[in-house]
Every structure is written in C-alpha cells, then in structure tokens.
Amino acid sequence: MDTDDAATWYKDAIIYELHVRAFRDSNGDGVGDFAGLIEKLDYVARLGVTTIWLLPFYPSPLRDDGYDIADYRGVHSSYGRLADVRRFVKEAHARGLQVITELVCNHTSDTHPWFQRARRARPGSAVRDFYVWSDSDQRYSEARIIFKDTESSNWSWDPVAQAYYWHRFYSHQPDLNYDSPQVRRAILRVVDHWLGLGVDGLRLDATPYLYEREGTSCENLAESHGFLKELRAHVDRRYPNRMLLAEANQWPEDAAAYFGGGEGDECHMAFHFPVMPRLFMALRMEDRFPIIDILAQTPAIPSRAQWALFLRNHDELTLEMVTDEERDYMYWAYTQDSVARINLGIRRRLAPLLGNNRRRIELMKALLFSLPGTPVLYYGDEIGMGDNIYLGDRNGVRTPMQWSGDRNAGFSSSNRQRLYLPVILDPEYHFQSINVEAQEANPQSLLNWMKRLIALRKRYRAFGRGSIEFLHPENRKILAFVRQHGEEQILVIANLSRFSQYAQLDLSAFAGTVPVELFGRTEFPPVGDQPYQVMLGPHAFYWFALEPQRVDLGQLASAPELSLRDRDLERALPDYLHAQRWFGARSRRIKEVHIVDTVPIADAALKVAEVQYAAGDPDVYALPLCPNGEGRIVDALAEPAFNHLLLEAIARRRRFRGTAGDVIALPTPQLARLRAGDGDLAPRLAGVEQTNNSVIFGERLIMKLFRRVEEGLHPDLEMSRFLTDVGFPNIAPVAGTMLYRRRRGSAAALAMLQAYVPNQGDAWSHAMTEVEDSDGDPERYLPHAKLLGRRTAEMHRALSSRTDDPAFAPEPTLMHDARSVYQSVRSLALQVLPLLQERQNDLEGRAREDADTVLRSWEALHQRPRGVVTSRISARRIRCHGDYHLGQVLFTGGDFVIIDFEGEPARPLRERRLKRWALKDVAGMLRSYAYAGEAAAIANGEEWARAAGDAFVQAYQETAAGGLFLPSSAEERDLLLDVLLIEKAMYELRYELDHRPDWVRIPLRGLVRLLEV
C-alpha cells in the first residue's frame, strides 16, 4: 500500500457497525462484552468487512444507548475493562480490521463528574463554564428541538445549580460549552487517550451543535468548524493515517462543509444523511429522480475526503433532511403501524422496512455499495434480522445478534429474563430461522450473498474512489450510472420497479468496450455507437466492468509480470496460468482469480489462488513466489534458497501461519536415513513437464509440489504409504509431507518428499529409445514389456492384500457400479465431442479425417460400453494407480519403479480415491504403448505397440492369476478392456485438446482403431 492509500484507507473501507453489548455475551450475565466480541472477530473477518465501528462502550447510565457518557476514558463494567479494549484492538488489527469508536463531543450524561462539579461550582468559574447555563429558558430560541417526542425545550432547570442548562438532545444530556478553552483541551486529551490506544478513527457525534449563538439556529456555526480544524490539526500532527468521521445530519451543502477547505482540514469523512431516505423513496416510487436529484445537490468535496453511506443504523431512519411532503410520503409508504414512528423518523431495521423481500434487500445493498462513498453495514442486517418496535425508544433495532437457533439465539447462556433486551420472537424473523449458523450452512443465504457482494466491491477501487456519471434513459424506473477510477469503468444498472423493465442506454462514450457482468464474469455484446439495450427483471441490478476487447495470450509481447500485491497478482494470473504446463484447465475461460490466502515463508510467500471459470466449479492453486536477484517476482521453486528452506521445514516440523490458513511440514521416519551420509543436497528443479513440479535434492530426495490444492486425503500420499507398509519394493518411500490447512477446513496435501530413485529416465523415454534403435523390431523390447506387466500385477496384488482395511479391501462389482462406469464414459464423451467438433477445422490431414470418423461413428462406439450394464461382472474393484502410463514408471536399468499415484489430475480428489477395476491400469498402459508407437518416427509403430501391449498383458495375466481383481473369463476381460480403452482414449482426447493440440491425432487414431475392432 503506497503512502497516499495508507492515509486514505477509509475510501476503500467497508464499515461494520455494532454495539458491544448486543454482539456476544461471554460470561452469561445477559450483556455482550469485549471478550465475546473478540470471540466473534473471525466471523467479522470472514464477512469481508474491513472496519469495525463500535458504538459507545464507556461508563454510562445507558439512558440513551451509551451516548450519555459518564466517563470518556473508561469502559462500562458490563463490557469489560480497558485491558479488554486494548486486546480487542490488537486482535482486530491482527485480522486486518480497523477500529472506529465514538467521540461524543457535544454532550455528556448529567451523571458525569464534570457536570456534577459544574452544577455546584460558582457561576462564572472555569468549572461552572464546562456547560452552558442561563437564568432564562428563552435564549437561542431559533434553535430547533430535535427530539420533539420527548422534549419540549432545549433548556432544563437544574435545582442544584439554580439555573437552566442547555441540551440539544435529551434533558439528561447537558451540552458541553466549547467557548471554554478547558473543554476543548479536555476533549483533545480524550482523543489522545483513544488514538494512543490504537483506535484508527473517531466518529464525532452531533458535530453541528458544538456552539451556540444568539439569533442563529445554533447549527453549522463558524466556531464549530474552527474547533474541528483545531482537532484535525492535532490528530494529523500526532497520529498519522487516522480518520475523523462527522455525524452531521444536514443538507448536502452544509454537511460537505465539515470536510473543511482546500484538501480538507476538518473531518476526513462525513455521513451523507440525505441520500439514505431518498433510496427508500426511489424504490417505493419506482423512479430514479430522488437519488439523482439529491446527488445533483451534493457539492464536490476535497480529493482526500469521503462520504459515508448507510441504509440503517442504531437510530431511527431519520427524515429530518426531507421536505414535509416527502416525510408524509415516507410515513405512508413504510410505517403501516404508527408505533414505528419516533421523533422525525422510523424505528425499523432494513428487512422489515422492505417487507422482507429478498430482491428489494439485495437491490438496496447493491446501491449502497455502488454509489459514491464508503458503505456502512449495521450488525444483523447481513442476515436480515427483524426488530421489535414495541420495546421503546430505538431499542427495537438494538436487540441481541442472532448467532444460532439455540438458547437466546446463541448470544448468551444467561436466563432469558436477564438479557439486556429480548431476542426477536416474531414468527417471520424468529431467531431459530434467522441466524448466522443456519445462513452460513446455506450457500444461497442472504449472508453468503452479502459476502460475495462485499468481496466483489473490494476488488474494484472505482467504487470507493471513482467519479460518477449518471445516464438518462427514457425509462425513469431504471437507474444507471458509470463509476470510473483510473482504467476501471464500472457500469451500474438498477431496476427500481417491481416489474420487469427495458431501457436503452447511451454508452457511445464507451464504444468498443465489452460489458462483463461482475458476479458471473459473463461477457455481454460489445458496446457500439447505437443505444445499448438492457432488460432487467423485477428489482434486478447489474454491475458491469467495461473492459477492452480480449487479447489472446499468444498475441502478448511478453509474459505478464507477477507481483506479491494481491490486487496486481489477481490481474496478472489469468494470462500467467494459461501459459503454465501444470495448469490443468487451459481450455476453460477464467472469469477471475482471487488470492484467498498468503502464507509468508521467509522472504517468499505462498499465494493460494482460487480460480473461477465461466462455467463449472472453481479450482484452487498454490503459487510460491519470491523476488529473484534482479528484484522480479518469480516462481520460488526456481530459487535454491527457497527449496532448502522447505526441506529444513519438513525435517524440523515447521509451521507457517497465513492470513486464512497454515502450512504444516511433517517428516516420516525415512527422512533421517535418507538425509544421512555424505554428499550435498543441492536442489535443482526437475525439467520434466507434468501437472506438478518436482525439486531434486542431491540425487537422494525429491519433493513434489501439488499445484492444485484440494482438501482431503491425497491418493499419492495414501497409496505410497500403504505400499511401503505391505512391503511392495518397486516404489519410492515417503520421507515427509507439507500440508495446507485452512481454518474451519480439512487439510490439503501441498507437497510430498520421497526418496530419489536413481534411474535412466522414465519408461516412456526407455521405450522410445528401444523402438527407434531397433527400427521397430519389437523382439528387443518384449522382455521389458513382460517385466513391466509382472510389476503391474504385483502392485495390484499388494493393493488388494489388506481385506481388513476399508480403504483398500477389494469390493464386488454391483449393478450400480457397472452403471456408474457406463455413465462416466457417456458423460465424458458428451463433454469431449462438442469440443472436438468446435476445433475440427483446426486439425489437418489424417487427424481431421479421424475426427470426422469419430464424430460420425460415435453412436456405434457408444453402444459398446453398454455391455457392462447388461453383463454380470465378476472382477472385484480395488484401489489402483488410476493414471498409469509409461511416464509414471522409472527404468533403473534392470527394473521398473512405479511413481505418481495421484490419479488422473483432471478428476476431483474424492473421485481419484474410488475403487476401480484393475484393468483400468492395464488399459492405461496399453494406450501409453499406442502413444509410443504413434510418436516414434518409424513406419511400423502401430505393430510395435501392439506386440509390446500383448507381451505386457500376457505377463500381467500370468502373474495376477487367481487374483480377485481379474475377470473370470476371457469374454469379460475383453469387454472391460474395451470399455476402459474407450474411456482412456476419450480422456486423452480432452487432455490433448486442452494442452497439446499437436498430439490430438494420437487419441483420435486410437478411437478409430477401436471402431475397427
């Protein structure tokens, strides 16, 4: 974050307003406290907000929800101690959350020691002058009475002082006298106390009413602005990067004055009160005019200033800054029960105001988050909490947070009668149905939708910092505007009507751009010179990024620059990922990439990236990054120091903590033996292209990084350990592992350390050398094919040897198992063949002819797998390799060692751990021989592959004879092999279309040969 961004952090903030006593009770006394709030900080962080605004928590009689303060520097005993506040601030900062609290600078409680001393002090003394006194209640008669429901005058008689004291709010809240230098100094000391404790910002309550002058409204006086300038200078001088937020319930031109002059020399932020009621008016009237009109009346503000916007808060929906006619309309539209009216406003939460209509709630939230300013979210509104307008004052919107359907909504373990306020029992909003626990478990809940909305807003700085330009379609039910900041252009379109609407937008200024809908990253037709047509459902909205036409990666002059800054990295990764061999979805269009975790590892960082696609489920990838010697950010696996660090971490059982999860390194007993001995363990990155990356340490150890991060037991670890335990010698022993565990989630394998097997290359390279050196004569290679067949059968015998281990015990093939195989082959074909048809014209020669044959003959080929459904299958299902081919076997010169038990990378982890027919591995190796034959530059490659495959199968059957995993007849064997060969060839075809288009000819030739059988 650069210096200016750090100083103006509030522009990108999303503020979450809460009351300590309403959030969580940790000690069972019926009142929320700081210990309970700390307990729930992870929830706040998961919600995605960036800042917590605490309502007053100071000692107070609580006659006005804590705004009647009896001690500015203390903590109410029900909420905890000052040490608890320090701990809360520290814990919030540790989660990346900033903290705002209240500076109620206009008034105190009448129980405050200042007032108690003042009422007894001599008139005219400095102590007496802490407050505003008068012998008459007729002074300042032009000042309006704010709380008309409860107060008849701004003066109240004090029998102790024998004088009237001034109060703009309740009579138990006497106003401080800012004409007194002692008052101003005292308030600055209060500021020093809380900012010195680490608080990031202060909300200045009731700022327009600090001074009184005869013949004025006693609002927005020049003297008030003078004190705010003094306060701002004090804060800027002593506490950089802090923020002051003015609560000035005024018309726009008066509220904007609280930013000060020039670059802003008073408050950094101010609430835009007039916008809020007009959002509700526009929705009810189904007309955009109230919104556009009030923003047109809003003057420009200093560049470092920011409005704060809200829909609801701890007070009533104030209607002070509307006309009398508008107030009558709002009362009529939103208060069916007159009890909901209080002062000049409506005491209701958001969901009841909007009739608990999900579409209207989402629309209003979307407007709150897209109009100019920083949005403020009131606790409980993210789950649609209800209210109780019969509790008196504004208490109906201040009830306990609803965490679960348990006792007292999970807020407190106390007797229900001890709660500071009762929980909501209204049937529509009952805590047993409206609560965090239930909504977190439902992906379609309002809470989870809010998390997505918040995350989306945080990715685009235009929402917090950009300009706004309104569009003016003829249909007034459509509100449309463009937010711009730098290269970001966000088009917002909202339907204020309860019915579907149509509009034409003049987007000619953005001709040539492509509107990309932000939630789904769906591209809409490009913008031209003609009016752009849009249709919206009832109360629907769109957020579009107006982006330039896409450029293919192949047209880019250079690879994208990586960064350790999440925002920059997220923009670079789509192009970067498509260029990586290990990225398993290069045929899928990436919608967007989010960095979901950063784990610092010395000078490097493990970035955990969630990749979302235009269709289908997202993937998560691990990206270790670090600066190289030239200062560029590179893949950390290319840096020897980083690889040494990982090896040491495994040996020492290190743990690295990230923002959302941890990396845990664990050794096995094998590691000490493998590390012992002479020789350097110098790391080098293996040059073999595969879906993961491997680092070799001095020809003794090899570490594989699993690029794709999937929660659950990884089959490569599981299978390698099992085969070691049962004594199968032809594998590499496991020496250690690194796990990634996200909080509230299960572990995912990140890396595996194994013994390095000295070898002459993999079996693919060996086979290719043999076929080319022998000019296609298979006799020279047949002994090797037979040896590999024997080792494969021995592996299957080992994998089926433990009948007492549920994960590995052989299981019979039931009817639904056979049907599952058939459906799998059919589904795979229905995914692959349209892709082949789409790219058929890119193929040449025999490959194009074979593609035509496969597409025309698929129905005939499709009938073959149906045999497994109509036949009784005797072969038992076992755990098998799952992605078996020549590249997964090492040739040591005299034997073969089998590696990489992770299964087919394109399949989900849970699917790769399923039990299969052992012949799946046999089919995989037969297809691998077919690849070798096709890839070899010899005339009789197919004959060589057929001979090698026959020798492999013969040796396999002889060694596996009697195994329960073998079919009981030749007919059953041929049927299963046929089905599995079709499945494997289809899988290969999809893989080659995604990754190696020049190799598509090989699986196509295999499918044609299967058609000929």
Side-chain angles (χ1 to χ4, degrees), residues 64 66 252 521 654 799:
D64 184 23
R521 294 298 299 175
R654 291 283 307 278
L799 288 170

Side-chain angles (χ1 to χ4, degrees), residues 299-456:
I301 61 177
S303 62
R304 298 170 72 86
Q306 179 81 326
W307 292 112
L309 306 179
F310 63 97
L311 293 174
R312 291 299 301 110
N313 61 15
H314 60 287
D315 285 332
E316 70 272 22
L317 189 163
T318 178
L319 300 177
E320 289 185 77
M321 295 304 127
V322 298
T323 66
D324 291 341
E325 293 79 8
E326 289 170 336
R327 187 178 303 116
D328 286 342
Y329 179 81
M330 287 289 289
Y331 280 145
W332 171 80
Y334 287 104
T335 58
Q336 290 75 25
D337 190 331
S338 61
V339 177
R341 304 180 186 183
I342 186 172
N343 301 320
L344 291 179
I346 302 169
R347 50 179 166 192
R348 302 231 66 169
R349 271 190 175 268
L350 181 65
L353 269 173
L354 299 179
N356 205 21
N357 183 303
R358 174 73 177 264
R359 285 188 174 183
R360 298 173 80 193
I361 293 171
E362 290 184 359
L363 174 60
M364 291 291 276
K365 293 289 188 186
L367 292 176
L368 172 69
F369 276 62
S370 56
L371 286 169
T374 293
V376 179
L377 180 64
Y378 188 47
Y379 84 93
D381 280 355
E382 73 271 24
I383 61 173
M385 271 180 61
D387 54 34
N388 184 347
I389 60 177
Y390 305 104
L391 289 180
D393 196 17
R394 281 75 56 90
N395 290 331
V397 300
R398 301 167 179 173
T399 56
M401 181 65 175
Q402 296 170 191
W403 294 107
S404 70
D406 296 335
R407 179 180 183 179
N408 298 327
F411 163 75
S412 173
S413 61
S414 75
N415 184 304
R416 182 169 296 179
Q417 296 179 101
R418 292 190 65 190
L419 296 181
Y420 76 94
L421 284 174
V423 294
I424 298 300
L425 300 177
D426 182 287
E428 188 172 3
Y429 303 97
H430 199 288
F431 69 83
Q432 289 185 332
S433 58
I434 305 295
N435 61 72
V436 170
E437 182 180 74
Q439 294 203 18
E440 283 193 325
N442 179 3
Q444 305 306 317
S445 67
L446 178 61
L447 173 59
N448 281 309
W449 181 86
M450 280 298 306
K451 289 179 180 180
R452 293 191 290 272
L453 184 76
I454 290 169
L456 198 57

Side-chain angles (χ1 to χ4, degrees), residues 736-751:
T737 184
M738 296 188 77
L739 304 176
Y740 172 70
R741 188 190 303 275
R742 290 193 73 178
R743 297 179 185 103
R744 299 170 61 89
S746 59
L750 191 63

Side-chain angles (χ1 to χ4, degrees), residues 702-908:
I702 182 169
M703 181 178 64
K704 179 196 296 183
L705 177 73
F706 300 116
R707 287 292 187 168
R708 190 173 170 204
V709 180
E710 297 179 90
E711 291 186 355
L713 188 57
H714 199 286
D716 207 351
L717 277 171
E718 182 187 25
M719 300 272 281
S720 297
R721 287 175 176 171
F722 179 85
L723 290 170
T724 301
D725 291 344
V726 299
F728 181 65
N730 293 76
I731 59 164
V734 179
T737 184
M738 296 188 77
L739 304 176
Y740 172 70
R741 188 190 303 275
R742 290 193 73 178
R743 297 179 185 103
R744 299 170 61 89
S746 59
L750 191 63
M752 179 172 64
L753 186 67
Q754 292 177 281
Y756 178 78
V757 178
N759 62 84
Q760 298 179 9
D762 59 30
W764 168 267
S765 300
H766 173 247
M768 292 299 293
T769 300
E770 289 290 322
V771 69
E772 291 171 0
D773 288 353
S774 65
D775 198 25
D777 183 2
E779 291 302 321
R780 174 173 163 176
Y781 182 75
L782 294 186
H784 298 296
K786 290 178 180 179
L787 176 60
L788 184 54
R790 289 196 296 272
R791 295 292 179 255
T792 305
E794 290 164 0
M795 176 184 69
H796 287 161
R797 281 191 171 279
L799 288 170
S800 61
S801 63
R802 288 275 181 89
T803 58
D804 59 338
D805 186 340
F808 288 89
E811 296 180 0
T813 299
L814 304 177
M815 183 182 297
H816 76 269
D817 299 317
R819 181 75 193 195
S820 177
V821 173
Y822 166 72
Q823 288 296 138
S824 177
V825 176
R826 185 176 186 276
S827 298
L828 180 61
L830 291 176
Q831 296 173 42
V832 176
L833 294 180
L835 186 61
L836 175 63
Q837 189 169 26
E838 178 184 326
R839 302 186 184 179
Q840 184 179 4
N841 292 335
D842 297 333
L843 304 177
E844 297 178 353
R846 191 175 73 174
R848 188 168 183 175
E849 295 174 5
D850 286 347
D852 185 60
T853 301
V854 169
L855 291 169
R856 284 188 293 102
S857 307
W858 167 242
E859 283 303 320
L861 195 64
H862 169 241
Q863 294 303 316
R864 305 253 284 271
R866 292 193 65 87
V868 298
V869 179
T870 58
S871 305
R872 182 181 179 276
I873 307 300
S874 63
R876 298 211 165 199
R877 296 173 298 114
I878 65 170
R879 293 293 293 278
C880 55
H881 188 284
D883 189 25
Y884 201 46
H885 55 80
L886 291 167
Q888 307 284 44
V889 181
L890 299 178
F891 181 61
T892 65
D895 206 346
F896 293 102
V897 174
I898 302 169
I899 60 173
D900 290 341
F901 289 88
E902 63 177 305
E904 295 173 345
R907 297 184 186 274

Side-chain angles (χ1 to χ4, degrees), residues 89-161:
V89 172
K90 180 181 178 181
E91 294 287 346
H93 287 168
R95 291 165 174 80
L97 298 168
Q98 274 134 334
V99 178
I100 299 172
T101 189
E102 296 275 353
L103 180 62
V104 184
C105 48
N106 178 73
H107 54 262
T108 70
S109 166
D110 57 11
T111 65
H112 196 292
W114 293 352
F115 186 75
Q116 292 301 317
R117 287 197 297 267
R119 70 196 308 199
R120 291 174 172 82
R122 176 176 52 83
S125 65
V127 173
R128 177 80 159 203
D129 285 348
F130 253 62
Y131 295 86
V132 181
W133 301 95
S134 174
D135 294 330
S136 167
D137 62 358
Q138 299 304 307
R139 294 178 65 193
Y140 313 136
S141 58
E142 294 182 30
R144 64 191 173 100
I145 299 170
I146 296 173
F147 287 171
K148 291 184 177 180
D149 287 5
T150 55
E151 304 297 333
S152 58
S153 172
N154 286 324
W155 293 100
S156 287
W157 176 257
D158 180 37
V160 176

Side-chain angles (χ1 to χ4, degrees), residues 26-86:
S26 70
N27 59 9
D29 65 356
V31 180
D33 45 48
F34 274 102
L37 174 55
I38 293 169
E39 176 188 326
K40 294 297 186 181
L41 274 179
D42 285 339
Y43 164 79
V44 178
R46 289 198 307 275
L47 182 58
V49 297
T50 66
T51 305
I52 295 176
W53 162 21
L54 296 181
L55 296 176
F57 53 80
Y58 317 108
S60 166
L62 297 179
R63 298 178 65 184
D64 184 23
D65 203 37
Y67 281 90
D68 47 336
I69 292 175
D71 178 4
Y72 277 110
R73 299 190 184 191
V75 178
H76 196 288
S77 59
S78 295
Y79 309 150
R81 301 175 301 166
L82 194 61
D84 296 315
V85 181
R86 287 195 181 94

Side-chain angles (χ1 to χ4, degrees), residues 577-593:
L577 290 172
H578 273 296
Q580 305 308 306
R581 173 72 168 81
W582 46 259
F583 182 59
R586 283 188 286 175
S587 68
R588 301 174 68 184
R589 187 169 71 80
I590 296 176
K591 284 198 309 182
E592 52 195 350
V593 179

Side-chain angles (χ1 to χ4, degrees), residues 169-422:
F169 297 97
Y170 291 114
S171 58
H172 56 79
Q173 294 171 321
D175 279 20
L176 289 164
N177 177 19
Y178 275 82
D179 283 317
S180 165
Q182 287 87 348
V183 167
R184 298 195 296 274
R185 285 196 293 268
I187 291 299
L188 292 181
R189 287 194 293 270
V190 173
V191 170
D192 289 340
H193 175 72
W194 292 112
L195 295 188
L197 191 138
V199 167
D200 302 284
L202 295 170
R203 173 187 177 272
L204 309 182
D205 185 65
T207 50
Y209 315 113
L210 300 184
Y211 285 82
E212 303 78 29
R213 293 293 182 266
E214 200 65 63
T216 72
S217 66
C218 298
E219 298 181 22
N220 308 316
L221 298 179
E223 292 85 347
S224 295
H225 289 288
F227 173 72
L228 292 177
K229 295 179 191 296
E230 178 185 349
L231 174 60
R232 171 67 176 269
H234 179 86
V235 170
D236 285 351
R237 183 170 59 253
R238 297 191 179 194
Y239 308 100
N241 301 342
R242 307 300 174 91
M243 182 271 290
L244 299 175
L245 168 59
E247 189 230 11
N249 189 357
Q250 302 291 316
W251 289 95
E253 61 274 17
D254 293 326
Y258 287 90
F259 295 122
E263 287 297 305
D265 58 357
E266 295 185 31
C267 293
H268 305 77
M269 297 184 68
F271 284 106
H272 200 317
F273 278 90
V275 165
M276 180 266 298
R278 284 161 180 81
L279 290 172
F280 289 94
M281 288 172 57
L283 181 68
R284 193 67 170 81
M285 296 167 63
E286 300 188 359
D287 191 325
R288 65 176 180 257
F289 175 77
I291 299 172
I292 294 180
D293 178 56
I294 199 63
L295 289 177
Q297 297 180 53
T298 303
I301 61 177
S303 62
R304 298 170 72 86
Q306 179 81 326
W307 292 112
L309 306 179
F310 63 97
L311 293 174
R312 291 299 301 110
N313 61 15
H314 60 287
D315 285 332
E316 70 272 22
L317 189 163
T318 178
L319 300 177
E320 289 185 77
M321 295 304 127
V322 298
T323 66
D324 291 341
E325 293 79 8
E326 289 170 336
R327 187 178 303 116
D328 286 342
Y329 179 81
M330 287 289 289
Y331 280 145
W332 171 80
Y334 287 104
T335 58
Q336 290 75 25
D337 190 331
S338 61
V339 177
R341 304 180 186 183
I342 186 172
N343 301 320
L344 291 179
I346 302 169
R347 50 179 166 192
R348 302 231 66 169
R349 271 190 175 268
L350 181 65
L353 269 173
L354 299 179
N356 205 21
N357 183 303
R358 174 73 177 264
R359 285 188 174 183
R360 298 173 80 193
I361 293 171
E362 290 184 359
L363 174 60
M364 291 291 276
K365 293 289 188 186
L367 292 176
L368 172 69
F369 276 62
S370 56
L371 286 169
T374 293
V376 179
L377 180 64
Y378 188 47
Y379 84 93
D381 280 355
E382 73 271 24
I383 61 173
M385 271 180 61
D387 54 34
N388 184 347
I389 60 177
Y390 305 104
L391 289 180
D393 196 17
R394 281 75 56 90
N395 290 331
V397 300
R398 301 167 179 173
T399 56
M401 181 65 175
Q402 296 170 191
W403 294 107
S404 70
D406 296 335
R407 179 180 183 179
N408 298 327
F411 163 75
S412 173
S413 61
S414 75
N415 184 304
R416 182 169 296 179
Q417 296 179 101
R418 292 190 65 190
L419 296 181
Y420 76 94
L421 284 174

